[in-house]
Amino acid sequence: HAALAPALTSVAKHAKSQGARQVFAIMHNANSHDGKAWEATLTKRFLAACDGVATLSNSVSAKLQPWKPVTLFHPLYEHFPNGPTRLEARRQLQLSDGDVAHLFFGLIRPYKGLGVLIEALSHLPAHHKLLVAGECYEDWSAYQAQIDKHGLQDRVQLHLEFIPDNLVPVFMQACD
């Protein structure tokens, strides 16, 4: 996050002043997805204090090419507990056997396409349902207006909160 860049720049410079030979940054993103120009400036200042950069994807490495990044492998999320059966997961989420369940999972932010998914759902038959599971990092009202406009209240199930690890398999198992 660019908001951390000034602090991280200070840490990098301090580490070098205390004898660290090199400082490396591990960058999950090159900049915030909904970033502002000032964020790019802060990120560049931070990277100028670093001796190397590692990323977790080729696309981020491409954006950071001036710093000649090393691209590592993004780890897999294998720490989740075993989940319930598909039938039990669907029961827990009140989905019937005839439902086709679509899932939007994770942080709800403008660039992630939830609005597109809601629009697409409005063109599908009524047995298609949408589970929205995750924290909303913006005003929910625009999505609710879209759901209301298309009369999807009975087809969209909302779980607008952090989903703890023990419940992640329930959502994954239940969806098509």
Side-chain angles (χ1 to χ4, degrees):
H1 292 284
L4 298 175
L8 293 174
T9 301
S10 294
V11 169
K13 289 179 179 180
H14 181 73
K16 287 182 179 181
S17 76
Q18 297 299 306
R21 286 188 229 153
Q22 293 183 318
V23 173
F24 284 82
I26 300 175
M27 305 286 287
H28 184 70
N29 290 310
N31 56 342
S32 177
H33 294 290
D34 49 357
K36 313 286 186 280
W38 63 268
E39 291 179 342
T41 300
L42 292 177
T43 299
K44 286 179 184 178
R45 284 188 192 155
F46 166 63
L47 290 172
C50 297
D51 299 294
V53 180
T55 73
L56 302 176
S57 72
N58 290 328
S59 62
V60 174
S61 286
K63 291 177 183 174
L64 296 173
Q65 203 51 53
W67 289 274
K68 298 179 177 48
V70 173
T71 306
L72 305 175
F73 177 74
H74 194 294
L76 298 175
Y77 296 105
E78 298 178 315
H79 66 284
F80 295 109
N82 289 332
T85 64
R86 174 180 165 78
L87 188 62
E88 174 57 22
R90 291 175 77 87
R91 185 194 65 72
Q92 288 182 36
L93 294 171
Q94 301 172 343
L95 295 167
S96 72
D97 279 346
D99 291 336
V100 175
H102 304 271
L103 175 63
F104 181 97
F105 189 91
L107 298 178
I108 301 167
R109 300 190 72 179
Y111 61 89
K112 291 195 174 190
L114 178 56
V116 174
L117 184 53
I118 293 169
E119 181 66 30
L121 182 70
S122 75
H123 297 281
L124 294 172
H127 67 283
H128 285 259
K129 311 291 176 151
L130 172 61
L131 300 172
V132 179
E135 291 179 280
C136 189
Y137 275 47
E138 59 184 311
D139 183 5
W140 178 256
S141 63
Y143 297 116
Q144 189 61 54
Q146 193 177 13
I147 291 167
D148 295 344
K149 171 186 164 192
H150 293 297
L152 299 172
Q153 298 87 342
D154 294 339
R155 296 176 55 200
V156 178
Q157 196 180 111
L158 302 176
H159 303 270
L160 302 179
E161 62 215 6
F162 174 79
I163 307 299
D165 284 359
N166 66 315
L167 293 181
V168 171
V170 174
F171 286 94
M172 297 300 162
Q173 286 291 103
C175 292
D176 296 291

